[in-house]
Every structure is written in structure tokens, then in C-alpha cells.
Amino acid sequence: MPGDDLTRLRIAITAFFALDGFVFAGWVVRIPAVKEQIGASAGDLGLALLGVSAGAVITMTLTGRLCRRFGSHPVTVVCAVLLSLSVALPPLTHSVLALALVLLLFGAAYGGMNVAFNSAAVDLIAALRRPIMPVFHAAFSLGGMVGAGLGGLVAGFLSPTRHLLGLTVIGLLVTAAAGRTLLRHRPPTPADPAPSEGRTPRLPKTRRPGRGLVTVFGLIALCTAYGEGALADWGALHLEQDLDAHPGVAAAGYSCFALAMTVGRLTGTALLQRLGPVRTVMAGGATAAAGMLLGSLAPSVWAALAGFAVTGLGLANLFPIAVERAGALAGAGGVAVASTLGYGGMLLGPPAIGFMADWYSLPTALTSVAVLAAVASVIGCAIGIGARRAAAVRP
């Protein structure tokens, strides 16, 4: 494929990553308003959010097959249209059951879109022979930051119905513009190895990549994405409810987290080249664990915001590393497995936190993010040890 076409594909795929983060963040910053509208408790809201989880996980298990049959590009476009349409529905509901059903559709579109554009990104990375997956995920974080910031600005004077309807219009316009490029081009084939490829940092490989190793990368994605989902759905409520923050300041909590993730991911390629993937996973998990302990237990709003930012820096590159490696090992099926586990953590985590908040307290429930970030760091260490032992016995 000519270099100009690869550049156009990269821009189009980046646009879909950014759109996904923008739409998702626009929804999550209005969760407190929708919660108040339907009169739900924390546990009721957790049950409703389970609709997102169920829809996403069910769709993710099928999207890998759809990508293999129809191609990742058309599946990305179709899911983007469904996501843009469904985000306008939650503020139209007036019961927990109705909200759960609407979020089931929203979650299905969200899950399918994430598997599809990650698969498209893996194909493009293979053709470019550059570890740029963190850059794509930086676009997701940047979209989330903009979406959350915009939501905070309009929260005081624009109803959730009008706000989310505006996201539908923006989503359809972006899909129409970027979707043309994806529909015109098939996924690129990997480039032939070049003599200089040895200078490109590569992730540890096994001789025969199997589902077990893909699942291990999926567990890393699960542990880290759990934190993203927790801060997206519960961060604003924690600041507003537990620390008496103004609604606008509370909405800025996710913006701080998303901005830190954006910065971390924009520097992710350089970090991978300097530290390697194993050390990046270990350091990132430990950093996120420390940051989330501060963010959940701090007695002041500004300390909590600082903790959210540190957590974002720590988690920034863990998910991109896990998904890219799973895709390199097993193609669209590997992306589907890792994404199902990863986004399952993102989407199942918030309902779990809702139940823990009812049993204990919301700050205590949020410390589970720190625990799983530490687990991701330990898994990364185990992968590194296994790779070194395999290298030692290799003839």
C-alpha cells in the first residue's frame, strides 16, 4: 500500500479512537444527573451500568469473527454509527430497568467498535513496523479529556438530553468523514522485514504463540482498564459526594485523569524504546497503584485530583501494550480476547464498585483500583522472568 494511503488510514483510525473517547466521556460526566433523574441508589446505578458491561462483553466475543469475515474497517464504521445514536438515549429514561436496556445497546456498540478499531490499528502497525499503538490510545484519552471538559462546561446550563444529542450529531459527522477512508481501503498487509528492523524494540515472544499467552496479556488489560472504568463512572461522584466538590470541579476529575493518560501515551513510543515493555508495565502498574491510593483516600479535592493524574500516567501505556501484543500474536482473534478481558474489566468494574460502595464506602471501593494496578505490575514482572528463562534455555 502506498505511503500516502497508510497516512490516510492512520489519520482515520486515530479519528475513531478520539471519537470513542469523546462520546464515552460525554456520557460518563452526565451520570450523576441521570442518576438523580431516575432516583437511583448507588447499587441501583451499579445494576444499570451492568447493561453497558453485558452489551460490550457479548459483542466483543463476536466482533473478532465479524472482522475476519467482513473486515475490521466496515465493522468499525457500523459500530461508530450505533454508538453515536445510542449515546442520546440514557437521559430519555426514567427507571433503572429502562436505563439498563438503553445502556445494553450503548455497550454493544462501544465494545464492538473497540475490538474493530484496535484490530485495524494492529494491521496498520504491522505494515508500518513502528510501535505506535500508544499514540492511537492517546487519541482515545484526548477525546475523553475533551469530552469530559466540554461536559463540565455545559453541565450547569445544558440538560443531559441536549448535551448527549449534540454528541450524536458530532459522532455521525466524524463517522461520515473518517469512515470514507476506511471503507475505501482494505487493511494493509505487513511489510517485509528490513535489515534495520533489529533496531526496533520488540515485545517478548514465545516460540509458539498460544491462547494462554494472549489471555495473560488480556489479564493485564483487565487490571488496568478496571481503573479507567472506575474513574470514568465514579470519579466525579466521589469528588462531589465525598469531598463536596462543585459539579464543574467534579467533572474536571476525569479530565485530569484523561489528560495525564494522553501525555503518557503520547510519550509511550519513546518510553517503550527506552525501558522496554516489561519495565513499562511494571513501573506503570506501581505508579498507578500509588496514585489511586492518594486519589481515593485523600481528604481534599486537590490532592484527589493529583492522585487521579498520577493514576492516569501509570495506566497510560499498559492497555495499549497488552492489546497490541495480543493482536500481533493471534490477529483479530487475539485482539478480541484481550479486548474482551480488558474492556470487561473497564465495564464490570464500575458495577462492582457500586456494590462495594453500598457495603462499605465509595473511597474504600475505589482502592480496589490500586490493588488491580499492583496485580498488573506483578504479572508484567512474571512475563519478564518467563522471557528471560526461555532465552536462557534456548539453543
Side-chain angles (χ1 to χ4, degrees):
M1 182 178 290
D4 290 344
D5 288 342
L6 290 176
T7 299
R8 293 189 189 98
L9 274 179
R10 180 173 177 176
I11 293 171
I13 294 171
T14 301
F16 280 110
F17 271 88
L19 175 64
D20 190 52
F22 178 79
V23 171
F24 187 74
W27 147 244
V28 299
V29 299
R30 302 316 295 257
I31 286 177
V34 174
K35 174 179 180 292
E36 182 179 356
Q37 174 181 302
I38 64 175
S41 66
D44 290 337
L45 181 61
L47 286 173
L49 293 174
L50 193 60
V52 182
S53 308
V57 171
I58 291 172
T59 305
M60 283 177 173
T61 60
L62 301 175
T63 305
R65 296 177 184 177
L66 293 175
C67 288
R68 286 193 294 271
R69 181 171 181 179
F70 301 106
S72 59
H73 292 180
V75 175
T76 297
V77 174
V78 171
C79 289
V81 171
L82 293 177
L83 183 74
S84 300
L85 294 174
S86 62
V87 74
L89 300 179
L92 303 180
T93 61
H94 297 281
S95 69
V96 173
L97 177 60
L99 180 61
L101 293 175
V102 163
L103 293 180
L104 184 70
L105 175 61
F106 179 76
Y110 179 77
M113 183 176 174
N114 275 275
V115 172
F117 65 42
N118 272 296
S119 297
V122 168
D123 291 333
L124 182 60
I125 289 168
L128 293 173
R129 301 197 318 274
R130 294 182 58 201
I132 60 170
M133 183 63 91
V135 179
F136 288 122
H137 285 261
F140 173 86
S141 297
L142 180 61
M145 182 187 68
V146 174
L150 178 64
L153 289 175
V154 305
F157 62 89
L158 202 62
S159 69
T161 301
R162 293 184 177 181
H163 173 206
L164 298 185
L165 181 60
L167 297 187
T168 294
V169 175
I170 294 172
L172 293 176
L173 290 175
V174 172
T175 301
R180 294 179 187 176
T181 300
L182 291 191
L183 295 177
R184 281 200 203 111
H185 299 91
R186 296 176 61 84
T189 55
D192 293 331
S196 61
E197 190 178 20
R199 296 198 301 266
T200 302
R202 303 175 73 181
L203 300 176
K205 292 186 176 181
T206 61
R207 291 182 178 178
R208 291 186 178 180
R211 190 177 183 88
L213 187 55
V214 169
T215 303
V216 169
F217 285 111
L219 290 176
I220 294 176
L222 184 153
C223 291
T224 56
Y226 179 97
E228 290 190 54
L231 284 172
D233 285 1
W234 295 103
L237 193 62
H238 167 58
L239 294 172
E240 189 173 339
Q241 170 184 289
D242 300 314
L243 299 178
D244 297 322
H246 183 273
V249 176
Y254 185 72
S255 296
C256 290
F257 173 75
L259 175 60
M261 289 200 80
T262 302
V263 172
R265 286 172 171 173
L266 286 173
T267 59
T269 298
L271 190 65
L272 282 169
Q273 291 171 339
R274 184 176 183 85
L275 297 181
V278 171
R279 291 183 181 178
T280 300
V281 170
M282 292 171 58
T287 300
M292 198 58 217
L293 286 176
L294 175 63
S296 58
L297 302 178
S300 69
V301 172
W302 301 112
L305 291 175
F308 288 178
V310 172
T311 304
L313 285 174
L315 295 180
N317 294 301
L318 276 61
F319 191 93
I321 289 171
V323 172
E324 189 278 333
R325 188 54 186 155
L329 292 173
V335 173
V337 171
S339 296
T340 300
L341 288 171
Y343 285 105
M346 176 184 285
L347 300 170
L348 288 172
I353 287 178
F355 295 130
M356 287 188 284
D358 274 350
W359 296 334
Y360 305 104
S361 68
L362 183 53
T364 301
L366 288 173
T367 61
S368 62
V369 175
V371 173
L372 288 185
V375 170
S377 183
V378 172
I379 294 174
C381 179
I383 291 175
I385 292 173
R388 285 194 294 271
R389 288 179 177 174
V393 301
R394 186 174 299 149

